[in-house]
Amino acid sequence: MGNSHAIILAGGSGSRLWPLSRTLRPKQLLPLDGEQTLLQQTARRLLKHVDAGRLLTVTHQDHKFEVKGQLAEVDARLPAAVLAEPCARNTLPAIAWAVWEIFKQDRKAMIGVFPSDHAIGNEQNFLSAWRSAELAAAAGYLVLLGITPHEPATGYGYIQPGESLGLDAVNPVLSVSRFVEKPDLENAKRFVDNGYLWNSGMFVFRAGDFMQMLEQHQPEIHRAITSMRGTADVEASYEELPNLSIDYGLAEKAKKVAVVPVAMNWSDLGSWESIYQHRGKDEAGNVSHGDVLSLDTQDSLLWSSNSLLATIGVSNIAVIQTADATLICDRSRTEDIKQLVVQVQKTHPHLTETHLTVHRPWGTYTVLEEGPRFKIKCIVVNPGAKLSMQMHNHRSEHWVVVSGTAKITNGEQEIQLEPNQSTYIPKTHRHRLENTGTLPLQIIEVQCGEYVGEDDIVRFDDTYGRT
């Protein structure tokens, strides 16, 4: 349709895929189903039906710059349409904010809402179902895409479909009889036998109809969202919004709700077991990623993100290896990883927050070594990017250029450094690092001082608005 819009929801934390997925690097920002990240795959998929100027993304404030950077690699117009929530409030407030932004421009907009962290193997079936859903939405329905189940899964909600709406659509469009929360195995088997569908979390509706439903069923959210006039209003009122999903807050209350059944090789990739089931296997039934060597190993998920991972004489296990943490468990226990993460948060909280390589809007830094009173980093600055003008109260820094050309502000001095050249930055000196070249700038930074935490930073000027 000519007025089709799409919203990407990119605000999840993804603790069930620890140690690869972490608070500041959740699963939608990871390449779990190919070379591109799940977010990038989602954006490319949606651009086959909507123009880049009509694709809006909602994410968390902590992920804003990484989301913008990844979307820029898909289409240069996408970063301008990223909304950053100051705090997580579930799917309904996020969707309501995005719909309101679209509604102000086009009250008749046809909107599809899609999670950023799902895998879809059959894109043609997905696009066909989306178009069929738009036909029902044009008749005033709130429409879901319902996945035709291939097993009695207990990790998804279910939809009981009703009678056909009789629309002239490629895919059948059915009324919704009821929604069911995640069931136990016995009920899941019964649901599959009786033609229930998995709830994919994908919705299609007209902007005006959504705003009317929101005002009727969630007037508090409607009032808050429509009162927002800028960033200050969002920050002031967002935390007060109720924590509500669109399923509970609207779909289960609305009168005109429909579902489009679709089989599209879909997975929410919500656990390591679901990743194992989704990906191709070798002749021994193993899924391997990265530098892996296995002997006499069967039916296992072997994932290495850095160094060699070797196994011998094991079966039905998941081994996930990162630079600073390794998970080993029986494949049948991958759903329990959330419990393990709670324990890790108590004993090693940094291992649930970030990786050794941390992404910033200007590039990345990797912690190579650290101890009392020192930290060593490898810093990579993207072409044309620069760090904030900053200072540290408790540490000094030594910078050595490895490759590229560095433009450095050090106190009152401004200097250019080439590979093998260095500079010393005393504590409390204002300083800035900039890459004015066309190739990545790589430096080694050695920090020394009584405190080398990341929060010892005072920013005076920042291209990315972090002052």
Side-chain angles (χ1 to χ4, degrees):
M1 291 188 178
N3 63 338
S4 294
H5 294 249
I7 297 168
I8 298 177
L9 300 179
S13 59
S15 60
R16 287 187 295 172
L17 294 180
W18 186 85
L20 193 62
S21 175
R22 305 191 184 183
T23 303
L24 296 181
R25 191 78 170 165
K27 69 171 181 172
Q28 63 267 23
L29 303 180
L30 299 172
L32 296 173
D33 190 40
E35 295 299 318
Q36 294 183 317
T37 67
L38 297 180
L39 170 65
Q40 291 172 322
Q41 290 179 344
T42 300
R44 289 189 185 279
R45 187 183 308 128
L46 301 185
L47 289 177
K48 294 179 180 179
H49 185 59
V50 300
D51 182 77
R54 293 181 172 182
L55 179 55
L56 191 152
T57 302
V58 187
T59 189
H60 189 275
Q61 180 68 33
D62 291 345
H63 306 140
K64 176 176 69 174
F65 294 114
E66 178 67 9
V67 166
K68 285 187 173 186
Q70 291 195 7
L71 291 176
E73 295 177 9
V74 176
D75 190 292
R77 293 171 288 177
L78 297 181
V82 173
L83 302 179
E85 297 179 287
C87 59
R89 279 295 174 265
N90 215 317
T91 55
L92 184 54
I95 294 169
W97 183 17
V99 172
W100 174 241
E101 294 299 320
I102 297 171
F103 178 80
K104 288 185 292 184
Q105 305 300 321
D106 183 0
R107 292 174 175 243
K108 296 181 180 180
M110 185 66 67
I111 301 175
V113 178
F114 306 95
S116 61
D117 55 357
H118 293 180
I120 294 177
N122 191 324
E123 290 193 349
Q124 290 306 310
N125 283 5
F126 162 73
L127 294 171
S128 175
W130 185 0
R131 295 187 186 99
S132 296
E134 287 186 330
L135 291 176
Y141 282 86
L142 175 66
V143 192
L144 297 93
L145 300 192
I147 307 300
T148 305
H150 56 79
E151 63 176 349
T154 59
Y156 309 134
Y158 282 73
I159 300 170
Q160 182 183 18
E163 299 297 320
S164 171
L165 298 186
L167 299 176
D168 185 20
V170 174
N171 296 69
V173 184
L174 313 174
S175 63
V176 171
S177 296
R178 67 171 179 140
F179 294 92
V180 184
E181 295 294 329
K182 297 175 183 178
D184 57 26
L185 183 58
E186 182 178 345
N187 279 315
K189 291 178 179 177
R190 182 167 57 86
F191 293 158
V192 172
D193 290 340
N194 285 279
Y196 284 51
L197 304 167
W198 289 337
N199 186 343
S200 70
M202 303 181 193
F203 294 82
V204 181
F205 46 76
R206 286 189 307 199
D209 294 331
F210 178 92
M211 296 306 297
Q212 288 179 1
M213 286 186 283
L214 189 68
E215 184 175 22
Q216 178 182 354
H217 300 294
Q218 302 298 336
E220 178 185 354
I221 297 178
H222 182 274
R223 189 164 46 250
I225 292 295
T226 56
S227 299
M228 292 179 181
R229 295 293 182 267
T231 303
D233 289 339
V234 173
E235 293 178 350
S237 60
Y238 211 85
E239 189 174 355
E240 303 303 319
L241 294 176
N243 191 323
L244 269 181
S245 69
I246 185 175
D247 302 80
Y248 181 78
L250 281 192
E252 295 182 13
K253 295 177 170 60
K255 292 182 179 180
K256 297 182 70 173
V257 186
V259 61
V260 177
V262 58
M264 54 186 182
N265 190 20
W266 171 89
S267 174
D268 74 340
L269 301 180
S271 68
W272 286 115
E273 177 62 17
S274 65
I275 290 178
Y276 173 83
Q277 295 296 341
H278 184 75
R279 292 173 69 101
K281 321 288 190 298
D282 63 20
E283 62 276 4
N286 298 317
V287 172
S288 298
H289 175 88
D291 193 2
V292 173
L293 177 62
S294 59
L295 296 177
D296 190 23
T297 298
Q298 295 84 33
D299 304 321
S300 295
L301 173 61
L302 309 172
W303 192 289
S304 174
S305 60
N306 56 328
S307 57
L308 173 65
L309 169 62
T311 63
I312 185 170
V314 293
S315 60
N316 293 296
I317 64 169
V319 183
I320 315 301
Q321 177 177 269
T322 66
D324 57 357
T326 301
L327 168 74
I328 304 172
C329 69
D330 191 278
R331 272 185 35 223
S332 65
R333 299 294 302 277
T334 61
E335 289 286 351
D336 300 328
I337 289 176
K338 271 193 168 184
Q339 302 172 27
L340 179 63
V341 171
V342 171
Q343 298 302 313
V344 176
Q345 286 173 332
K346 295 176 181 178
T347 58
H348 300 78
H350 63 286
L351 292 180
T352 66
E353 293 289 327
T354 65
H355 286 279
L356 291 179
T357 296
V358 177
H359 291 254
R360 288 288 188 254
W362 41 262
T364 65
Y365 72 80
T366 302
V367 178
L368 304 177
E369 187 70 50
E370 65 179 310
R373 300 183 61 86
F374 81 93
K375 183 183 290 184
I376 304 172
K377 290 181 177 179
C378 175
I379 297 175
V380 178
V381 185
N382 296 329
K386 59 184 176 181
L387 283 65
S388 60
M389 180 70 76
Q390 58 187 253
M391 78 165 199
H392 313 292
N393 287 310
H394 302 287
R395 71 173 186 256
S396 60
E397 296 177 341
H398 300 256
W399 289 350
V400 181
V401 176
V402 177
S403 62
T405 301
K407 178 182 178 182
I408 296 171
T409 302
N410 187 355
E412 299 300 319
Q413 289 185 310
E414 188 173 282
I415 57 177
Q416 293 270 131
L417 293 186
E418 303 291 334
N420 279 333
Q421 294 182 327
S422 64
T423 189
Y424 166 70
I425 301 167
K427 65 182 180 180
T428 73
H429 264 222
R430 294 191 182 200
H431 59 279
R432 173 174 243 158
L433 177 63
E434 183 175 355
N435 181 1
T436 57
T438 58
L439 297 174
L441 164 66
Q442 184 180 37
I443 74 166
I444 297 298
E445 174 182 273
V446 180
Q447 304 175 1
C448 295
E450 63 267 22
Y451 180 70
V452 292
E454 295 300 325
D455 55 346
D456 177 22
I457 184 170
V458 179
R459 290 190 174 96
F460 301 98
D461 175 63
D462 184 54
T463 304
Y464 314 103
R466 297 173 297 169
T467 52

